[in-house]
PDB file of all heavy atoms in Angstrom:
ATOM      1  N   ARG S  29      68.606 -73.692  62.009  1.00 95.00           N
ATOM      2  CA  ARG S  29      69.186 -74.567  60.879  1.00 95.00           C
ATOM      3  C   ARG S  29      70.587 -74.979  61.000  1.00 95.00           C
ATOM      4  O   ARG S  29      70.981 -76.088  60.677  1.00 95.00           O
ATOM      5  CB  ARG S  29      69.056 -73.680  59.588  1.00 95.00           C
ATOM      6  CG  ARG S  29      67.582 -73.463  59.118  1.00 95.00           C
ATOM      7  CD  ARG S  29      67.568 -72.435  58.024  1.00 95.00           C
ATOM      8  NE  ARG S  29      66.164 -72.205  57.551  1.00 95.00           N
ATOM      9  CZ  ARG S  29      65.777 -71.139  56.912  1.00 95.00           C
ATOM     10  NH1 ARG S  29      66.680 -70.117  56.629  1.00 95.00           N
ATOM     11  NH2 ARG S  29      64.447 -71.082  56.492  1.00 95.00           N
ATOM     12  N   VAL S  30      71.490 -74.040  61.526  1.00 96.00           N
ATOM     13  CA  VAL S  30      72.871 -74.357  61.753  1.00 96.00           C
ATOM     14  C   VAL S  30      72.971 -75.473  62.815  1.00 96.00           C
ATOM     15  O   VAL S  30      73.781 -76.345  62.682  1.00 96.00           O
ATOM     16  CB  VAL S  30      73.615 -73.159  62.257  1.00 96.00           C
ATOM     17  CG1 VAL S  30      75.034 -73.525  62.695  1.00 96.00           C
ATOM     18  CG2 VAL S  30      73.685 -72.119  61.140  1.00 96.00           C
ATOM     19  N   PHE S  31      72.129 -75.333  63.834  1.00 96.00           N
ATOM     20  CA  PHE S  31      72.189 -76.416  64.826  1.00 96.00           C
ATOM     21  C   PHE S  31      71.866 -77.772  64.258  1.00 96.00           C
ATOM     22  O   PHE S  31      72.516 -78.755  64.571  1.00 96.00           O
ATOM     23  CB  PHE S  31      71.147 -76.097  66.036  1.00 96.00           C
ATOM     24  CG  PHE S  31      70.841 -77.162  66.960  1.00 96.00           C
ATOM     25  CD1 PHE S  31      71.669 -77.440  67.988  1.00 96.00           C
ATOM     26  CD2 PHE S  31      69.727 -78.044  66.688  1.00 96.00           C
ATOM     27  CE1 PHE S  31      71.334 -78.430  68.891  1.00 96.00           C
ATOM     28  CE2 PHE S  31      69.444 -79.107  67.509  1.00 96.00           C
ATOM     29  CZ  PHE S  31      70.266 -79.331  68.627  1.00 96.00           C
ATOM     30  N   GLN S  32      70.819 -77.829  63.448  1.00 95.00           N
ATOM     31  CA  GLN S  32      70.366 -79.054  62.831  1.00 95.00           C
ATOM     32  C   GLN S  32      71.530 -79.643  61.938  1.00 95.00           C
ATOM     33  O   GLN S  32      71.762 -80.876  61.947  1.00 95.00           O
ATOM     34  CB  GLN S  32      69.091 -78.875  62.042  1.00 95.00           C
ATOM     35  CG  GLN S  32      67.929 -78.560  62.894  1.00 95.00           C
ATOM     36  CD  GLN S  32      66.683 -78.469  62.108  1.00 95.00           C
ATOM     37  OE1 GLN S  32      65.596 -78.676  62.721  1.00 95.00           O
ATOM     38  NE2 GLN S  32      66.636 -78.048  60.876  1.00 95.00           N
ATOM     39  N   LYS S  33      72.183 -78.766  61.277  1.00 94.00           N
ATOM     40  CA  LYS S  33      73.230 -79.248  60.310  1.00 94.00           C
ATOM     41  C   LYS S  33      74.534 -79.719  61.122  1.00 94.00           C
ATOM     42  O   LYS S  33      75.075 -80.833  60.749  1.00 94.00           O
ATOM     43  CB  LYS S  33      73.610 -78.041  59.395  1.00 94.00           C
ATOM     44  CG  LYS S  33      74.703 -78.464  58.361  1.00 94.00           C
ATOM     45  CD  LYS S  33      74.988 -77.274  57.454  1.00 94.00           C
ATOM     46  CE  LYS S  33      76.131 -77.650  56.459  1.00 94.00           C
ATOM     47  NZ  LYS S  33      76.368 -76.541  55.524  1.00 94.00           N
ATOM     48  N   GLU S  34      74.853 -78.945  62.106  1.00 95.00           N
ATOM     49  CA  GLU S  34      76.077 -79.294  62.916  1.00 95.00           C
ATOM     50  C   GLU S  34      75.830 -80.482  63.806  1.00 95.00           C
ATOM     51  O   GLU S  34      76.689 -81.368  64.010  1.00 95.00           O
ATOM     52  CB  GLU S  34      76.556 -78.105  63.747  1.00 95.00           C
ATOM     53  CG  GLU S  34      77.058 -76.948  62.762  1.00 95.00           C
ATOM     54  CD  GLU S  34      77.557 -75.742  63.631  1.00 95.00           C
ATOM     55  OE1 GLU S  34      77.319 -75.842  64.762  1.00 95.00           O
ATOM     56  OE2 GLU S  34      78.199 -74.882  62.970  1.00 95.00           O
ATOM     57  N   GLN S  35      74.637 -80.523  64.421  1.00 93.00           N
ATOM     58  CA  GLN S  35      74.357 -81.604  65.411  1.00 93.00           C
ATOM     59  C   GLN S  35      73.703 -82.784  64.781  1.00 93.00           C
ATOM     60  O   GLN S  35      73.571 -83.821  65.385  1.00 93.00           O
ATOM     61  CB  GLN S  35      73.440 -81.088  66.547  1.00 93.00           C
ATOM     62  CG  GLN S  35      73.952 -79.934  67.274  1.00 93.00           C
ATOM     63  CD  GLN S  35      75.247 -80.280  68.045  1.00 93.00           C
ATOM     64  OE1 GLN S  35      75.378 -81.344  68.666  1.00 93.00           O
ATOM     65  NE2 GLN S  35      76.221 -79.294  68.128  1.00 93.00           N
ATOM     66  N   LYS S  36      73.385 -82.601  63.504  1.00 93.00           N
ATOM     67  CA  LYS S  36      72.655 -83.730  62.820  1.00 93.00           C
ATOM     68  C   LYS S  36      71.436 -84.208  63.612  1.00 93.00           C
ATOM     69  O   LYS S  36      71.221 -85.413  63.779  1.00 93.00           O
ATOM     70  CB  LYS S  36      73.620 -84.863  62.444  1.00 93.00           C
ATOM     71  CG  LYS S  36      74.789 -84.500  61.452  1.00 93.00           C
ATOM     72  CD  LYS S  36      75.706 -85.700  61.172  1.00 93.00           C
ATOM     73  CE  LYS S  36      76.606 -85.372  60.068  1.00 93.00           C
ATOM     74  NZ  LYS S  36      77.383 -84.141  60.225  1.00 93.00           N
ATOM     75  N   ARG S  37      70.711 -83.167  64.134  1.00 94.00           N
ATOM     76  CA  ARG S  37      69.593 -83.528  64.892  1.00 94.00           C
ATOM     77  C   ARG S  37      68.460 -82.565  64.553  1.00 94.00           C
ATOM     78  O   ARG S  37      68.695 -81.303  64.522  1.00 94.00           O
ATOM     79  CB  ARG S  37      69.921 -83.393  66.437  1.00 94.00           C
ATOM     80  CG  ARG S  37      68.764 -83.717  67.372  1.00 94.00           C
ATOM     81  CD  ARG S  37      69.272 -83.691  68.753  1.00 94.00           C
ATOM     82  NE  ARG S  37      68.162 -84.022  69.644  1.00 94.00           N
ATOM     83  CZ  ARG S  37      68.344 -83.914  70.990  1.00 94.00           C
ATOM     84  NH1 ARG S  37      69.488 -83.578  71.522  1.00 94.00           N
ATOM     85  NH2 ARG S  37      67.284 -84.229  71.807  1.00 94.00           N
ATOM     86  N   GLN S  38      67.255 -83.073  64.331  1.00 95.00           N
ATOM     87  CA  GLN S  38      66.163 -82.261  63.958  1.00 95.00           C
ATOM     88  C   GLN S  38      65.466 -81.578  65.216  1.00 95.00           C
ATOM     89  O   GLN S  38      65.377 -82.167  66.205  1.00 95.00           O
ATOM     90  CB  GLN S  38      65.087 -83.113  63.299  1.00 95.00           C
ATOM     91  CG  GLN S  38      63.806 -82.424  62.982  1.00 95.00           C
ATOM     92  CD  GLN S  38      63.964 -81.292  61.853  1.00 95.00           C
ATOM     93  OE1 GLN S  38      64.427 -81.590  60.715  1.00 95.00           O
ATOM     94  NE2 GLN S  38      63.549 -80.103  62.179  1.00 95.00           N
ATOM     95  N   VAL S  39      65.203 -80.219  65.028  1.00 97.00           N
ATOM     96  CA  VAL S  39      64.526 -79.551  66.145  1.00 97.00           C
ATOM     97  C   VAL S  39      63.157 -80.124  66.060  1.00 97.00           C
ATOM     98  O   VAL S  39      62.406 -80.197  65.079  1.00 97.00           O
ATOM     99  CB  VAL S  39      64.402 -78.011  65.778  1.00 97.00           C
ATOM    100  CG1 VAL S  39      63.658 -77.356  66.818  1.00 97.00           C
ATOM    101  CG2 VAL S  39      65.909 -77.470  65.753  1.00 97.00           C
ATOM    102  N   PRO S  40      62.662 -80.604  67.170  1.00 97.00           N
ATOM    103  CA  PRO S  40      61.348 -81.204  67.352  1.00 97.00           C
ATOM    104  C   PRO S  40      60.218 -80.221  67.182  1.00 97.00           C
ATOM    105  O   PRO S  40      60.327 -79.077  67.398  1.00 97.00           O
ATOM    106  CB  PRO S  40      61.279 -81.830  68.730  1.00 97.00           C
ATOM    107  CG  PRO S  40      62.178 -81.062  69.531  1.00 97.00           C
ATOM    108  CD  PRO S  40      63.267 -80.626  68.606  1.00 97.00           C
TER     109      PRO S  40
END
Side-chain angles (χ1 to χ4, degrees):
R29 289 171 179 162
V30 170
F31 167 83
Q32 292 182 154
K33 182 178 180 180
E34 293 181 348
Q35 301 296 321
K36 294 180 173 52
R37 182 177 180 183
Q38 174 68 54
V39 175

